[in-house]
Amino acid sequence: MSRFRGDLGALRGSLAAVVTPFTAEGELDTAALTELASWQRAAGSHGISVGGSTAEPGSQTADERVAAMAAVAGVTADEVPFVPAVGSARLQ
């Protein structure tokens, strides 16, 4: 369980909503996603959000959404808040 769960005081400053990169072949690019989330942390973001306001979930499979969340969760390492969007109009 995240140490930030239930602690609204931990949500402060900039929580970056990162896009989900894909390869030219249309595959989820977890290496690029990890790099992007790492860059956001190094740049001073106070947290990371994935799969929300950037609108990718509607065009991703459930497996791709889970893989994207796992990649970003690994970068945040429970050191900053991680806000994954879990909803989508697409069911799979």
Side-chain angles (χ1 to χ4, degrees):
M1 178 179 293
S2 171
R3 69 186 179 107
F4 297 101
R5 179 172 284 178
D7 181 8
L8 294 179
L11 299 177
R12 61 178 178 78
S14 168
L15 274 75
V18 297
V19 298
T20 307
F22 287 84
T23 66
E25 294 77 30
E27 299 293 321
L28 177 67
D29 191 342
T30 54
L33 179 57
T34 299
E35 184 178 327
L36 178 59
S38 296
W39 181 84
Q40 286 290 343
R41 290 231 20 230
S45 290
H46 297 113
I48 304 287
S49 176
V50 66
S53 62
T54 52
E56 292 94 351
S59 61
Q60 291 176 304
T61 66
D63 288 342
E64 287 171 331
R65 291 193 305 269
V66 169
M69 286 186 249
V72 175
V75 170
T76 61
D78 209 28
E79 295 172 0
V80 296
F82 168 50
V83 182
V86 296
S88 175
R90 179 179 178 172
L91 299 175
Q92 239 184 356

